[in-house]
Amino acid sequence: SAGFGLEESKEVVDLYDVLPSDKVEQAQAEKTEAMILRRLDELSTKIEEMTKLREDLREYLANLRKKTYGTD
């Protein structure tokens, strides 16, 4: 599913109902490309957020260990 929701998938399928057959393939390709680019942006943002969270948790753990045990 490449991480697309039902609504996004429906948008691509619905192109069959509104366009002549010779335009469907191009319209679907353009719509799918836009959805993929949007999803890639969303994933990049989530990866950045998760990476920052991991760094913060590692720092917190190191500080906790240092304070509690006197070690890293």
Side-chain angles (χ1 to χ4, degrees):
S1 83
F4 298 121
L6 290 175
E7 187 61 34
E8 289 172 315
S9 298
K10 184 180 179 310
E11 289 176 24
V12 174
V13 172
D14 283 348
L15 292 174
Y16 278 112
D17 295 332
V18 297
L19 294 172
S21 61
D22 61 332
K23 300 288 184 182
V24 170
E25 188 174 328
Q26 172 139 359
Q28 281 186 312
E30 291 170 358
K31 185 74 165 178
T32 302
E33 179 182 8
M35 288 175 13
I36 290 170
L37 290 171
R38 186 171 54 248
R39 185 68 176 136
L40 285 171
D41 285 342
E42 291 169 2
L43 289 172
S44 292
T45 298
K46 286 181 181 183
I47 289 169
E48 290 171 10
E49 290 170 354
M50 297 297 290
T51 299
K52 175 71 171 113
L53 176 59
R54 181 180 60 197
E55 291 169 1
D56 290 347
L57 286 171
R58 285 180 174 162
E59 183 179 336
Y60 178 79
L61 180 60
N63 289 334
L64 179 67
R65 286 176 174 168
K66 186 174 184 179
K67 181 179 178 182
T68 304
Y69 309 112
T71 63
D72 288 332

